[in-house]
Structures are given as structure tokens and as C-alpha cells.
């Protein structure tokens, strides 16, 4: 059998907004041009916000009638006219009172709300497109509309969007668009977008029968089919196996907990808006914030398990691990297949260590994450040191604690020789993090693994251990999740592999293709032998062989074995793999050994 690997295609290169200040200016100005065009064609439309995005820009409008495809064509035509006029883009600094008076004059209530949120003393600027249109904006922009290339701009779609993401507010219409420096870049973007649609995990997940969403169950709550559950179970088993080798202890915690638990941790005060509403037994209890909530994090529960006994320094480090499902009340407009859901499973672990053990344990966690990524063939990532913003007041704990924790993370990545960058303001409210930012096959970035050093929660929960000299000392916590969200990871893997999973992860590893039903008895004997060896095997029959092969290819089954008269007589199988094509007739014992070894070693046969 071939040893060829099922390697994902090379990442498609993108021109990212972070690499081009000119591109940011183009997109920001293009959003203003689009808003101006909309208000020329639809005078009653009110504008809200129009930021640039990684691939273009959007603008949200409050318009009485929904925009149609024909409207988008008319808006683009009007934009081309504005661009052709080469209107100067003029910045004007104004006072708050002046800005308010001008906004009230044109009766734009959304702009008034934006203005009211600006910090007092902050400079207020307007940007004008010629003398015909202006918007409250901080910039930056190009010098005039003629700097835009109309052949490098395209309006893409219309979607609903609640004002400021609040489902209790007015629903707006969001026009999505893309803008580039040249028509060639736009053409490449469209090619990449078409490739992304082919790989979309929502599309492939449905075609491969891995998961589904039900309106009856609710948005952002995936249901896993038997085939999808195979992938989840394999990934969990893979990580459990790796963790067991490193001394982790499995635990299980409930899905709900008392509000007081999360008040002590600080999640209630700092994370309440992202949590599901409290469940209280009475109005009085609700008013006193005495009730239960769906857990947004596992750490407070693991802390209670640690705290149940008085620990000795001899027991540390203690490494508690759980595949714990948590719940976040994401806005419906922010949900996106498996990559942004309301209920997801975290491969969570919390290590309780001494000061002397911190560096070694942190390095071992990083080694585990790198090992896991390697087995999954996820190689295109970078390390982000997510530290606090010293100017912000959202973080708990003293400066000394934060400096000590941040230095521990910095020491670890420098010791490993990892390339990294520091990101002030990206820390959790209780501690700094080392985040692994993965760039997928479509060059999008996702946060997967994370490691956090935490001095604060042990303080808040008054955790202790008995040191060698008999004194009570405070342990340090390391929060760690190599996968991050299991749902997000699987969504990324579906797109990374284009649904063509490595042999060990494939829901169906082998399909036996019967030339006719008379060969079913032999196929069932082979299936029983392979199942007993721990392989996942199906039998196909009843259709012509060509159709069976096409179906197996479409469903991305890695190994197909043809069962016919010659195979039965010789006690062989004619093997065809997706990786290597036709391999010919091979003895059943040889096939079994090869497949079992590949499954055990997590390689492709």
C-alpha cells in the first residue's frame, strides 16, 4: 500500500488589510461612496456605521423597503458616477455642539447615538465627499473619490443586522461589498471566494452527514449525527490518550452552577453580557441575583474539586482535565456554522502548581499543544502573547501579579525559540495568555490552542496547599485548551481537508463494494474481520459498481475494496484509495495488518 499522505492543499495567498494602509483607505472611502449613493437613490434611508473589513466593507442602513438585487446594481452604477466625479474627501474637525446641530438638521438619529458615545474631550471629525455628502467619521480616507477604481469594487449581498447587535433594537439592512486596489486583486478574491464556498464546512458537513442545525432546537446549537460523533469521539480519545501519558486526571462538572460561584470568579461581573440569563426560583431571588446560570467556563468547577481537600506540596502539580460543554449567549447575527456557536465543548484543563513548577509545567503544556497540532497536520500558526492593556480597568489583580504572569509566558516562548508577537488588551480579565493563532487553507485566522497563567482566581477562591515547611501557600493555576472549541476545530478541519479526512479520522474508513449480491456473504465475513480489528467498515451493494465507486468518492471514503468473483476465489480484495488510486488485488491478511497499523499510528495507508 502507498505511504502517500493526505496533505491539505497549500494556503491560498491573500492580500490582507493589515498589509496595506492604502487598502484600508480605499475600503473606508468606498463605504462612504456607497452610503452616499444609497441616500441619493433612497432619500429616506438613514445611515448607521460603515467600517472596513478584512475583505472589503459594509454599511448598515435603516430603509423602509428591503434592498433587492436590482437595487444593488443601481447603487453600484451610482457609485461609479460618484467616483468619476473625483470628489475631494475633506476632513473637518468640529465641536460636539456643532456636530449635534448638523446631525439634528439632517435628522439622522443613529449618528446622534454614535456621537453621544464618543468620549468627552475626544476630537470629533466629519468627512465630506465634495459638498454633497458627509458623515461622522474618524477616517482615514483617500484624497478624492477618483483614487478608487470602480472595476475593483463589487457589491456582494444584503443581510439583516440588528443595531449594535441588540435583537431588541431596530433591524437594519447591511450591504456587504468588497474593494481592492486593482481589478486583478478583485478577480483573485472572487476565485478564492469560490474555493471557500466549495470548502464551506456547513455545506460539506451537510453533504457528508456530519452535523445539522434545527430551528426547533435553536440557533447555534449543533446536533451531531453518528458520523460526526465518530470524529468528535476520535478527537477526544486522541487528546485523552496524550493527556494520560502526561499525568492528567479526568473530571466531570455540571452544566449549570450558582450565580455566586461566578461572582467569586469574576465572570458574573466581567462576562455577564455573554452569559445566558439567570434561572431564579422566584422574583425575589432574581432581584437578589440568587439563581443558577448555564456555565460559560469550566474553571470555577475545577477549582471546587481542588478545594475539596487540603492539598500537600507532594500532590502538586495536580492536572484536572474535562471535555466540558459551555454556553455563551452569542447574538444570532454573530453565529456561523460550527465556528461560532452557543453551546460548545472545550478540551479544558486546569493545572494547580507551585511557583517552582510553573515554568516546567507551562513548557510541557506548550509541547502537548504542538504535538497535537502536528498529528492534525495543522502547521501554519503563530504565537500571540495576549497581555493586559495597562490603561484598562477591566482586569483584576495587582500590577505585580500581572507582571509576574506575563514574564512567565514570555520566558517560555523565548526558551522554546518560538516566533511570537505581543498583543496588549487581549488577555483574559484574570490572567495573560499564550494563544495559538492558526491560519487556515483559505488564509483566515482562528484562535485554537490557548495557555493561561493565573494568579488571581487562586486568590479569589482562597486556594491553598501545605508546603514542605508546614506553612499554607497559594498555588498558581494554568488554564489550557489545545483544541479550544471542539466544534470550531472540526469546522476548521472540514475546510482544511476539504472533507477528505485522514484515514484515522474518517467516519467510514473502508467501504466494501460488491459487484453483485451473490458476493455479500464474503463481504460480510471481511467486514466482521475488519470491525473486530477496530476499523470502521460499510458494505455497498445493489447498484452498478461504477455508481458505488462514485458514491464512495463523493462521500470521501479513504479506502474502497471491490468484492467480486476473483476476490472471493483468491480470498483477496481489489483496493482503491483516494490518496493513491488503484492498488490491485491484495491478500485480506495484508490489508488488515496495513490498515490496523495506519489507524494505530494515525497515518494514511
Amino acid at each position: 500500500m502507498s505511504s502517500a499522505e493526505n496533505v491539505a492543499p497549500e494556503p491560498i495567498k491573500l492580500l490582507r488589510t493589515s498589509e496595506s494602509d492604502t487598502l484600508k483607505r480605499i475600503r473606508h472611502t468606498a463605504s462612504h461612496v456607497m452610503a452616499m449613493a444609497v441616500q441619493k437613490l433612497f432619500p429616506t434611508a438613514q445611515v448607521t456605521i460603515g467600517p472596513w473589513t478584512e475583505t472589503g466593507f459594509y454599511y448598515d442602513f435603516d430603509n423602509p423597503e428591503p434592498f433587492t438585487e436590482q437595487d444593488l446594481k443601481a447603487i453600484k452604477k451610482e457609485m461609479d458616477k460618484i467616483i468619476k466625479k473625483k470628489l475631494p474627501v475633506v476632513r473637518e474637525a468640529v465641536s460636539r455642539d456643532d456636530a449635534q446641530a448638523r446631525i439634528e438638521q439632517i435628522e439622522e438619529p443613529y449618528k446622534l447615538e454614535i456621537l453621544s458615545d464618543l468620549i468627552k474631550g475626544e476630537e470629533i471629525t466629519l468627512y465630506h465627499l465634495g459638498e454633497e455628502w458627509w458623515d461622522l467619521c474618524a477616517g482615514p480616507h483617500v484624497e478624492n473619490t477618483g483614487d478608487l477604481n470602480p472595476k475593483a469594487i463589487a457589491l456582494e449581498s444584503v443581510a439583516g443586522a440588528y443595531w449594535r447587535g441588540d435583537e431588541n433594537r431596530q433591524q437594519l439592512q447591511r450591504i456587504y461589498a468588497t474593494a481592492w486596489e486593482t481589478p486583478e486583486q478583485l478577480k483573485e478574491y472572487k476565485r478564492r471566494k469560490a474555493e471557500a464556498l466549495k470548502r464551506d464546512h456547513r455545506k460539506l458537513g451537510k453533504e457528508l452527514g456530519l452535523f445539522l442545525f434545527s430551528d426547533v432546537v435553536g440557533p447555534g446549537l449543533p446536533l451531531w449525527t453518528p458520523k460526526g460523533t465518530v470524529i468528535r469521539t476520535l478527537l477526544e480519545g486522541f487528546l485523552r490518550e496524550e493527556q494520560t501519558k502526561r499525568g492528567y486526571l479526568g473530571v466531570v462538572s455540571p452544566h449549570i452552577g450558582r450565580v455566586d460561584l461566578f461572582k467569586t470568579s469574576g465572570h458574573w461581573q466581567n462576562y455577564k453580557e455573554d452569559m445566558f440569563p439567570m434561572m431564579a426560583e422566584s422574583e425575589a431571588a432574581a432581584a437578589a441575583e440568587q439563581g443558577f446560570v448555564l456555565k460559560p467556563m469550566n474553571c470555577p468547577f475545577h477549582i471546587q474539586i481542588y478545594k475539596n481537600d487540603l492539598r500537600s506540596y507532594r500532590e502538586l502539580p495536580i492536572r484536572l482535565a474535562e471535555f466540558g460543554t459551555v454556553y455563551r449567549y452569542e447574538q444570532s447575527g454573530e453565529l456561523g456554522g460550527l465556528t461560532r456557536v452557543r453551546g460548545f465543548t472545550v478540551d479544558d484543563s486546569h493545572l494547580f502548581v507551585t511557583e517552582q513548577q510553573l515554568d516546567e509545567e507551562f513548557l510541557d503544556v506548550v509541547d502537548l499543544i504542538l504535538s497535537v497540532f502536528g498529528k492534525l497536520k495543522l502547521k501554519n500558526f503563530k504565537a500571540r502573547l495576549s497581555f493586559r492593556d495597562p490603561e484598562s480597568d477591566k482586569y483584576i489583580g495587582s500590577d505585580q501579579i500581572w507582571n509576574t504572569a506575563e514574564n512567565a509566558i514570555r520566558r517560555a516562548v523565548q526558551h522554546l525559540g518560538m516566533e511570537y508577537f505581543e498583543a496588549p488588551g487581549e488577555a483574559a480579565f484574570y490572567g495573560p495568555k499564550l494563544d495559538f493563532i492558526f491560519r487556515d487553507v483559505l488564509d483566515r485566522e482562528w484562535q485554537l490552542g490557548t495557555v493561561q497563567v493565573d494568579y488571581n482566581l487562586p486568590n479569589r477562591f482562597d486556594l491553598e496547599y501545605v508546603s514542605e515547611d508546614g506553612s499554607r501557600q497559594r498555588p498558581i493555576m494554568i488554564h489550557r485548551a489545545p483544541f479550544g472549541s471542539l466544534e470550531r476545530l472540526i469546522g476548521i478541519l472540514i475546510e482544511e481537508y476539504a472533507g477528505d479526512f485522514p484515514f484515522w479520522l474518517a467516519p467510514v474508513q473502508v467501504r466494501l463494494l460488491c459487484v453483485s449480491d451473490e458476493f455479500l456473504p464474503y463481504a460480510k465475513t471481511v467486514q466482521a474481520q475488519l470491525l473486530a480489528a477496530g476499523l470502521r467498515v460499510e458494505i455497498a451493494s445493489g447498484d452498478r459498481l461504477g455508481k458505488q465507486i462514485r458514491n464512495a468518492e463523493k462521500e470521501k471514503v479513504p479506502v474502497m475494496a471491490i468484492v467480486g468473483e476473483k476476490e472471493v476465489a483468491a480470498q483477496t480484495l481489489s483496493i482503491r484509495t483516494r490518496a493513491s488510486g488503484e492498488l490491485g488485488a491484495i491478500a485480506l491478511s495484508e490489508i488488515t495488518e496495513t490498515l490496523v497499523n495506519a489507524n494505530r499510528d494515525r497515518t494514511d495507508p
Side-chain angles (χ1 to χ4, degrees):
M1 311 260 309
S2 168
S3 61
E5 290 189 346
N6 179 17
V7 179
E10 286 296 312
I12 301 166
K13 300 301 179 185
L14 288 177
L15 177 59
R16 305 177 72 80
T17 54
S18 59
E19 296 170 358
S20 173
D21 182 65
T22 300
L23 199 53
K24 291 179 181 179
R25 293 174 182 273
I26 285 171
R27 289 173 175 169
H28 204 170
T29 304
S31 74
H32 280 214
V33 170
M34 183 176 74
M36 178 178 175
V38 167
Q39 291 197 307
K40 275 181 169 289
L41 296 174
F42 305 91
T44 59
Q46 295 180 336
V47 299
T48 61
I49 56 171
W52 66 69
T53 67
E54 189 167 321
T55 59
F57 60 92
Y58 68 81
Y59 224 112
D60 289 348
F61 300 93
D62 187 350
N63 192 51
E65 298 297 327
F67 294 122
T68 65
E69 285 295 321
Q70 289 301 318
D71 292 336
L72 291 188
K73 292 178 181 177
I75 293 166
K76 178 59 169 64
K77 190 174 181 180
E78 187 64 33
M79 289 176 66
D80 293 348
K81 292 178 183 178
I82 296 170
I83 291 170
K84 190 175 181 180
K85 289 180 181 179
K86 298 184 178 181
L87 299 175
V89 183
V90 180
R91 178 182 184 274
E92 180 188 10
V94 297
S95 68
R96 184 178 292 270
D97 289 343
D98 189 11
Q100 181 170 334
R102 294 197 202 186
I103 294 169
E104 289 174 345
Q105 186 177 6
I106 60 173
E107 298 180 345
E108 291 274 14
Y110 295 100
K111 285 181 176 154
L112 278 179
E113 192 170 336
I114 294 169
L115 177 66
S116 68
D117 287 343
L118 295 179
I119 300 171
K120 289 185 177 180
E122 184 177 350
E123 184 179 44
I124 298 170
T125 55
L126 311 179
Y127 274 86
H128 300 258
L129 299 186
E131 298 180 356
E132 303 176 55
W133 191 90
W134 60 268
D135 196 7
L136 186 68
C137 180
H141 290 276
V142 299
E143 291 187 5
N144 71 75
T145 60
D147 291 334
L148 306 179
N149 187 331
K151 294 183 179 179
I153 300 172
L155 305 191
E156 298 187 286
S157 62
V158 181
Y162 289 101
W163 173 233
R164 300 196 161 174
D166 186 347
E167 296 181 14
N168 296 315
R169 302 288 300 272
Q170 176 69 25
Q171 186 172 33
L172 308 172
Q173 294 184 69
R174 176 172 295 177
I175 298 180
Y176 286 100
T178 187
W180 302 86
E181 295 184 47
T182 66
E184 291 75 23
Q185 289 176 357
L186 176 60
K187 183 178 179 180
E188 171 63 11
Y189 163 75
K190 288 181 176 180
R191 185 192 72 78
R192 290 195 319 270
K193 188 175 179 182
E195 178 68 17
L197 288 174
K198 288 184 205 173
R199 291 173 174 269
D200 191 320
H201 74 276
R202 293 165 292 190
K203 172 177 174 288
L204 287 174
K206 183 177 181 180
E207 291 175 358
L208 298 175
L210 303 179
F211 64 91
L212 60 104
F213 289 92
S214 165
D215 290 338
V216 177
V217 175
L221 300 170
L223 299 171
W224 293 90
T225 66
K227 287 184 177 179
T229 301
V230 166
I231 297 173
R232 284 181 61 103
T233 303
L234 288 168
L235 287 170
E236 289 184 12
F238 162 53
L239 187 55
R240 282 196 176 98
E241 180 183 314
E242 295 297 318
Q243 290 176 164
T244 299
K245 295 175 186 175
R246 298 170 188 253
Y248 285 79
L249 304 172
V251 296
V252 177
S253 62
H255 293 252
I256 66 173
R258 290 189 182 277
V259 170
D260 286 347
L261 180 68
F262 297 102
K263 286 182 179 179
T264 302
S265 70
H267 288 100
W268 185 253
Q269 300 88 321
N270 292 277
Y271 214 75
K272 184 177 179 180
E273 295 303 315
D274 295 306
M275 296 169 67
F276 274 87
M278 179 178 61
M279 298 168 279
E281 296 179 352
S282 66
E283 290 186 9
E289 292 188 337
Q290 294 175 349
F292 292 82
V293 288
L294 290 171
K295 65 176 177 180
M297 304 286 184
N298 296 301
C299 36
F301 296 90
H302 292 189
I303 287 171
Q304 295 306 306
I305 294 172
Y306 174 89
K307 196 174 181 180
N308 186 56
D309 295 306
L310 179 60
R311 308 289 181 171
S312 164
Y313 73 95
R314 294 186 180 89
E315 297 176 71
L316 272 55
I318 292 175
R319 309 176 187 95
L320 304 181
E322 174 182 16
F323 284 88
T325 301
V326 297
Y327 302 90
R328 311 279 172 84
Y329 196 22
E330 304 281 5
Q331 297 296 325
S332 59
E334 296 176 336
L335 301 174
L338 295 179
T339 57
R340 194 77 177 263
V341 291
R342 285 176 167 168
F344 58 93
T345 303
V346 182
D347 55 323
D348 228 344
S349 181
H350 296 92
L351 290 73
F352 301 85
V353 305
T354 68
E355 187 79 46
Q356 294 75 24
Q357 296 166 339
L358 176 60
D359 284 7
E360 182 179 354
E361 288 296 314
F362 193 95
L363 289 171
D364 189 69
V365 167
V366 174
D367 181 71
L368 170 63
I369 291 174
L370 295 178
S371 174
V372 166
F373 284 0
K375 286 289 186 182
L376 294 174
K377 300 175 186 174
L378 301 177
K379 300 176 182 177
N380 192 13
F381 61 87
K382 55 188 176 182
R384 181 181 73 192
L385 275 56
S386 299
F387 291 166
R388 67 169 177 162
D389 176 0
E391 302 300 320
S392 174
D393 59 0
K394 74 174 184 178
Y395 305 102
I396 61 175
S398 67
D399 290 346
Q400 180 183 355
I401 282 176
W402 275 91
N403 291 336
T404 302
E406 290 176 356
N407 286 335
I409 295 176
R410 195 180 286 114
R411 272 197 314 274
V413 295
Q414 290 173 351
H415 175 80
L416 292 168
M418 297 176 65
E419 291 188 16
Y420 68 91
F421 67 99
E422 297 187 8
E426 293 295 326
F429 69 86
Y430 51 80
K433 307 183 291 175
L434 167 60
D435 294 323
F436 289 84
I437 309 300
F438 171 70
R439 184 173 289 186
D440 69 13
V441 71
L442 296 170
D443 214 32
R444 297 165 302 185
E445 290 186 343
W446 305 97
Q447 179 186 320
L448 289 179
T450 185
V451 196
Q452 305 168 10
V453 176
D454 179 9
Y455 285 78
N456 282 307
L457 291 189
N459 282 335
R460 293 176 74 91
F461 282 96
D462 194 26
L463 301 187
E464 293 181 332
Y465 69 91
V466 180
S467 69
E468 190 172 5
D469 64 7
S471 63
R472 301 293 179 91
Q473 300 295 326
R474 190 81 72 206
I476 304 164
M477 283 182 67
I478 299 175
H479 306 241
R480 141 310 24 183
F483 293 163
S485 158
L486 191 57
E487 284 73 11
R488 174 178 290 180
L489 174 68
I490 293 175
I492 290 169
L493 291 178
I494 291 172
E495 297 184 1
E496 187 73 5
Y497 302 138
D500 194 0
F501 285 95
F503 181 73
W504 72 275
L505 264 181
V508 177
Q509 295 172 303
V510 182
R511 182 167 293 171
L512 303 173
L513 312 178
C514 292
V515 175
S516 74
D517 287 352
E518 67 178 286
F519 306 116
L520 273 172
Y522 178 65
K524 290 180 179 178
T525 300
V526 172
Q527 181 187 38
Q529 179 172 323
L530 296 179
L531 288 172
L535 299 168
R536 299 180 293 281
V537 189
E538 290 183 346
I539 296 176
S541 65
D543 291 318
R544 289 189 307 170
L545 183 61
K547 184 176 181 181
Q548 291 182 40
I549 292 174
R550 286 193 299 274
N551 288 341
E553 289 280 357
K554 184 179 178 181
E555 295 172 37
K556 304 186 188 298
V557 178
V559 177
M560 291 158 271
I562 297 172
V563 180
E565 184 176 357
K566 289 188 295 185
E567 287 77 21
V568 173
Q571 295 292 288
T572 63
L573 293 173
S574 291
I575 300 297
R576 175 190 180 97
T577 71
R578 285 181 54 79
S580 304
E582 299 284 356
L583 299 179
I586 303 175
L588 178 57
S589 59
E590 181 183 345
I591 292 168
T592 303
E593 181 181 2
T594 300
L595 296 182
V596 167
N597 290 341
N599 196 41
R600 180 197 62 215
D601 299 335
R602 298 190 175 92
T603 58
D604 288 313

PDB file of all heavy atoms in Angstrom, residues 349-362:
ATOM      1  N   SER A 349      -8.481  22.082  30.730  1.00  0.00           N
ATOM      2  CA  SER A 349      -7.718  21.523  31.840  1.00  0.00           C
ATOM      3  C   SER A 349      -7.201  22.656  32.693  1.00  0.00           C
ATOM      4  O   SER A 349      -6.903  23.748  32.192  1.00  0.00           O
ATOM      5  CB  SER A 349      -6.542  20.694  31.318  1.00  0.00           C
ATOM      6  OG  SER A 349      -5.821  20.145  32.404  1.00  0.00           O
ATOM      7  N   HIS A 350      -7.110  22.379  33.999  1.00  0.00           N
ATOM      8  CA  HIS A 350      -6.591  23.365  34.938  1.00  0.00           C
ATOM      9  C   HIS A 350      -5.530  22.697  35.795  1.00  0.00           C
ATOM     10  O   HIS A 350      -5.796  21.681  36.435  1.00  0.00           O
ATOM     11  CB  HIS A 350      -7.720  23.952  35.773  1.00  0.00           C
ATOM     12  CG  HIS A 350      -8.704  24.712  34.931  1.00  0.00           C
ATOM     13  ND1 HIS A 350      -9.827  24.112  34.408  1.00  0.00           N
ATOM     14  CD2 HIS A 350      -8.694  25.987  34.470  1.00  0.00           C
ATOM     15  CE1 HIS A 350     -10.486  25.008  33.685  1.00  0.00           C
ATOM     16  NE2 HIS A 350      -9.821  26.143  33.701  1.00  0.00           N
ATOM     17  N   LEU A 351      -4.351  23.261  35.742  1.00  0.00           N
ATOM     18  CA  LEU A 351      -3.216  22.736  36.484  1.00  0.00           C
ATOM     19  C   LEU A 351      -2.989  23.611  37.713  1.00  0.00           C
ATOM     20  O   LEU A 351      -2.985  24.852  37.605  1.00  0.00           O
ATOM     21  CB  LEU A 351      -1.960  22.718  35.621  1.00  0.00           C
ATOM     22  CG  LEU A 351      -1.905  21.705  34.468  1.00  0.00           C
ATOM     23  CD1 LEU A 351      -2.822  22.101  33.322  1.00  0.00           C
ATOM     24  CD2 LEU A 351      -0.478  21.587  33.955  1.00  0.00           C
ATOM     25  N   PHE A 352      -2.800  22.986  38.851  1.00  0.00           N
ATOM     26  CA  PHE A 352      -2.523  23.685  40.097  1.00  0.00           C
ATOM     27  C   PHE A 352      -1.066  23.374  40.447  1.00  0.00           C
ATOM     28  O   PHE A 352      -0.724  22.221  40.713  1.00  0.00           O
ATOM     29  CB  PHE A 352      -3.478  23.234  41.191  1.00  0.00           C
ATOM     30  CG  PHE A 352      -4.932  23.461  40.841  1.00  0.00           C
ATOM     31  CD1 PHE A 352      -5.640  22.528  40.091  1.00  0.00           C
ATOM     32  CD2 PHE A 352      -5.584  24.624  41.231  1.00  0.00           C
ATOM     33  CE1 PHE A 352      -6.958  22.736  39.744  1.00  0.00           C
ATOM     34  CE2 PHE A 352      -6.911  24.846  40.897  1.00  0.00           C
ATOM     35  CZ  PHE A 352      -7.600  23.903  40.141  1.00  0.00           C
ATOM     36  N   VAL A 353      -0.223  24.401  40.424  1.00  0.00           N
ATOM     37  CA  VAL A 353       1.224  24.192  40.519  1.00  0.00           C
ATOM     38  C   VAL A 353       1.822  25.143  41.544  1.00  0.00           C
ATOM     39  O   VAL A 353       1.223  26.164  41.919  1.00  0.00           O
ATOM     40  CB  VAL A 353       1.903  24.418  39.148  1.00  0.00           C
ATOM     41  CG1 VAL A 353       1.262  23.543  38.074  1.00  0.00           C
ATOM     42  CG2 VAL A 353       1.853  25.885  38.729  1.00  0.00           C
ATOM     43  N   THR A 354       3.046  24.795  41.958  1.00  0.00           N
ATOM     44  CA  THR A 354       3.806  25.711  42.809  1.00  0.00           C
ATOM     45  C   THR A 354       4.572  26.695  41.930  1.00  0.00           C
ATOM     46  O   THR A 354       4.698  26.503  40.717  1.00  0.00           O
ATOM     47  CB  THR A 354       4.805  24.934  43.682  1.00  0.00           C
ATOM     48  OG1 THR A 354       5.822  24.369  42.831  1.00  0.00           O
ATOM     49  CG2 THR A 354       4.122  23.827  44.462  1.00  0.00           C
ATOM     50  N   GLU A 355       5.106  27.721  42.572  1.00  0.00           N
ATOM     51  CA  GLU A 355       5.911  28.705  41.837  1.00  0.00           C
ATOM     52  C   GLU A 355       7.093  28.029  41.154  1.00  0.00           C
ATOM     53  O   GLU A 355       7.434  28.354  40.004  1.00  0.00           O
ATOM     54  CB  GLU A 355       6.405  29.781  42.807  1.00  0.00           C
ATOM     55  CG  GLU A 355       7.113  30.947  42.139  1.00  0.00           C
ATOM     56  CD  GLU A 355       6.148  31.949  41.529  1.00  0.00           C
ATOM     57  OE1 GLU A 355       5.163  32.324  42.195  1.00  0.00           O
ATOM     58  OE2 GLU A 355       6.391  32.338  40.365  1.00  0.00           O
ATOM     59  N   GLN A 356       7.695  27.057  41.836  1.00  0.00           N
ATOM     60  CA  GLN A 356       8.872  26.380  41.288  1.00  0.00           C
ATOM     61  C   GLN A 356       8.511  25.486  40.099  1.00  0.00           C
ATOM     62  O   GLN A 356       9.349  25.196  39.248  1.00  0.00           O
ATOM     63  CB  GLN A 356       9.549  25.532  42.376  1.00  0.00           C
ATOM     64  CG  GLN A 356      10.158  26.323  43.519  1.00  0.00           C
ATOM     65  CD  GLN A 356       9.098  26.873  44.485  1.00  0.00           C
ATOM     66  OE1 GLN A 356       7.990  26.322  44.578  1.00  0.00           O
ATOM     67  NE2 GLN A 356       9.440  27.954  45.188  1.00  0.00           N
ATOM     68  N   GLN A 357       7.274  25.029  40.030  1.00  0.00           N
ATOM     69  CA  GLN A 357       6.851  24.130  38.960  1.00  0.00           C
ATOM     70  C   GLN A 357       6.303  24.861  37.733  1.00  0.00           C
ATOM     71  O   GLN A 357       6.115  24.242  36.680  1.00  0.00           O
ATOM     72  CB  GLN A 357       5.755  23.184  39.486  1.00  0.00           C
ATOM     73  CG  GLN A 357       6.212  22.239  40.581  1.00  0.00           C
ATOM     74  CD  GLN A 357       5.037  21.573  41.288  1.00  0.00           C
ATOM     75  OE1 GLN A 357       3.910  22.066  41.246  1.00  0.00           O
ATOM     76  NE2 GLN A 357       5.313  20.459  41.966  1.00  0.00           N
ATOM     77  N   LEU A 358       6.062  26.163  37.859  1.00  0.00           N
ATOM     78  CA  LEU A 358       5.331  26.898  36.829  1.00  0.00           C
ATOM     79  C   LEU A 358       5.989  26.792  35.460  1.00  0.00           C
ATOM     80  O   LEU A 358       5.339  26.428  34.468  1.00  0.00           O
ATOM     81  CB  LEU A 358       5.184  28.369  37.232  1.00  0.00           C
ATOM     82  CG  LEU A 358       4.526  29.283  36.189  1.00  0.00           C
ATOM     83  CD1 LEU A 358       3.119  28.806  35.859  1.00  0.00           C
ATOM     84  CD2 LEU A 358       4.504  30.728  36.699  1.00  0.00           C
ATOM     85  N   ASP A 359       7.274  27.098  35.356  1.00  0.00           N
ATOM     86  CA  ASP A 359       7.929  27.131  34.046  1.00  0.00           C
ATOM     87  C   ASP A 359       7.911  25.765  33.379  1.00  0.00           C
ATOM     88  O   ASP A 359       7.591  25.643  32.190  1.00  0.00           O
ATOM     89  CB  ASP A 359       9.377  27.627  34.187  1.00  0.00           C
ATOM     90  CG  ASP A 359       9.451  29.126  34.409  1.00  0.00           C
ATOM     91  OD1 ASP A 359       8.395  29.752  34.581  1.00  0.00           O
ATOM     92  OD2 ASP A 359      10.576  29.671  34.416  1.00  0.00           O
ATOM     93  N   GLU A 360       8.254  24.726  34.136  1.00  0.00           N
ATOM     94  CA  GLU A 360       8.313  23.385  33.549  1.00  0.00           C
ATOM     95  C   GLU A 360       6.931  22.922  33.090  1.00  0.00           C
ATOM     96  O   GLU A 360       6.783  22.351  32.001  1.00  0.00           O
ATOM     97  CB  GLU A 360       8.879  22.397  34.564  1.00  0.00           C
ATOM     98  CG  GLU A 360       9.015  20.981  34.025  1.00  0.00           C
ATOM     99  CD  GLU A 360       9.611  20.014  35.037  1.00  0.00           C
ATOM    100  OE1 GLU A 360      10.031  20.477  36.120  1.00  0.00           O
ATOM    101  OE2 GLU A 360       9.639  18.805  34.741  1.00  0.00           O
ATOM    102  N   GLU A 361       5.906  23.178  33.901  1.00  0.00           N
ATOM    103  CA  GLU A 361       4.559  22.758  33.532  1.00  0.00           C
ATOM    104  C   GLU A 361       4.048  23.539  32.325  1.00  0.00           C
ATOM    105  O   GLU A 361       3.383  22.985  31.445  1.00  0.00           O
ATOM    106  CB  GLU A 361       3.604  22.936  34.716  1.00  0.00           C
ATOM    107  CG  GLU A 361       3.819  21.941  35.826  1.00  0.00           C
ATOM    108  CD  GLU A 361       3.544  20.512  35.378  1.00  0.00           C
ATOM    109  OE1 GLU A 361       2.503  20.273  34.718  1.00  0.00           O
ATOM    110  OE2 GLU A 361       4.373  19.640  35.660  1.00  0.00           O
ATOM    111  N   PHE A 362       4.364  24.830  32.277  1.00  0.00           N
ATOM    112  CA  PHE A 362       3.933  25.642  31.145  1.00  0.00           C
ATOM    113  C   PHE A 362       4.566  25.110  29.859  1.00  0.00           C
ATOM    114  O   PHE A 362       3.900  24.963  28.830  1.00  0.00           O
ATOM    115  CB  PHE A 362       4.321  27.103  31.364  1.00  0.00           C
ATOM    116  CG  PHE A 362       3.665  28.058  30.404  1.00  0.00           C
ATOM    117  CD1 PHE A 362       2.499  28.716  30.742  1.00  0.00           C
ATOM    118  CD2 PHE A 362       4.210  28.297  29.142  1.00  0.00           C
ATOM    119  CE1 PHE A 362       1.888  29.602  29.848  1.00  0.00           C
ATOM    120  CE2 PHE A 362       3.617  29.169  28.249  1.00  0.00           C
ATOM    121  CZ  PHE A 362       2.445  29.819  28.606  1.00  0.00           C
TER     122      PHE A 362
END
